[in-house]
Amino acid sequence: MRFVSAEQVARRAGVSRSAVSRTFTPGASVSPATREKVLKAAEELGYHVNDLARGVLNNQSRLVGIVATKPEVGFRAHLTAALTKALIRRGSVPVLINTGQTEEEMLAAQKMLIGHRAEATIILSGSPPESFLDLARRNGQPVVLIGRCEPEADHVRAGNSEASIEAARLLLAAGRRKLAFAGSHSATPSILERQIAFVAEVEHHGFSVQIAHGEDSNYDCGVAAARALLAEGDRPDAIFCANDLIAFGVMDVLRREGGLSIPQDVAVIGFDDVPEAAWLNYGLTTFRQDPLIMAQRAVDLLERRIANPEADQGHDRVVPELVVRQTFVPANVTEV
């Protein structure tokens, strides 16, 4: 593979190699006539500046790593898309690394990014080990976390507790008394926070919560959780689901296998507001995490850290808003 070189542009334009370099260096001194000849030659040849080489010379690049596990699934897919767009607007080059959550896998991803002199790393999955943060600090690489809290790193989190408490209060105010929570065994810190806050609020009002888990935080997990709740005999009249994918599985089992009506027999509330939540087959009432807002907040923290490496850790919290559809309509609230 042979890319067009700056030397070829210089020969076509009839100028020196350094003139080509100055033309494509912001703020460098070059005459208007020379600039015009260089740009014309570059256009004819299809030349583009070698940003990778510049990054090596400057010991940094415009690369920003996005480290995620299963970035194609659920809300994370939309957050990943929003992050790439926000980084491109900033002038960065996003690099997605699909990895696992073990310390070895996380460190392998980080070493790859540091080896390519990535400017920063944004983590969407798993809590990074201390060795990850230590290596980033020693290399001066900013790390931003989304969806989890680490005292040694900048992070953006959803208001999981606030939304879960609101879900409990709204269901109880609607007269629902047999409440359940559908979660997963492989829960992220965010999902665990939702479960803890929901259960605590319901118990605070003197009621108990049935808890059912599937393996992973996806549709199959919702199917397993719903079947477990139906098997207990004393079925719930309301289920708060850790995310929308779980809610979809719960709803399909309640209707197809339980013969139940939603929300007449069982109210269902989700979390995330992925696009499928508005599909006619679901019409899911849920708490909306806006991926565009979450992504921009993460980029803002990144820019803050780059501008001031010694600043205190930035902690941002975005409280989700309830989107009311057909699966549960609180009193005095209009569904969308």
Side-chain angles (χ1 to χ4, degrees), residues 39 96-98 101 104 119 137 139 156 164 185 190 209 246 251 286 309 317 330 336:
L39 292 178
L96 175 63
I97 297 182
N98 184 353
Q101 299 186 38
E104 292 76 13
E119 185 179 23
R137 281 192 294 268
N139 282 275
V156 181
S164 302
H185 293 300
S190 293
V209 178
I246 294 175
M251 291 173 64
T286 185
R317 196 172 180 89
V336 296

Side-chain angles (χ1 to χ4, degrees), residues 239-266:
I239 304 175
F240 179 44
C241 301
N243 65 30
D244 290 347
L245 297 184
I246 294 175
F248 300 152
V250 165
M251 291 173 64
D252 285 345
V253 169
L254 292 179
R255 288 169 172 164
R256 294 176 179 271
E257 300 180 12
L260 300 170
S261 296
I262 302 172
Q264 292 81 3
D265 297 322
V266 185

Side-chain angles (χ1 to χ4, degrees), residues 5 32-33 64 67 78 98 136 161 174 204 225 227 265 300 305 311 314 329:
S5 68
V64 173
V67 178
H78 303 285
N98 184 353
S161 296
H204 174 73
R227 286 173 176 166
D265 297 322
D300 290 344
R305 175 62 52 199
V329 181

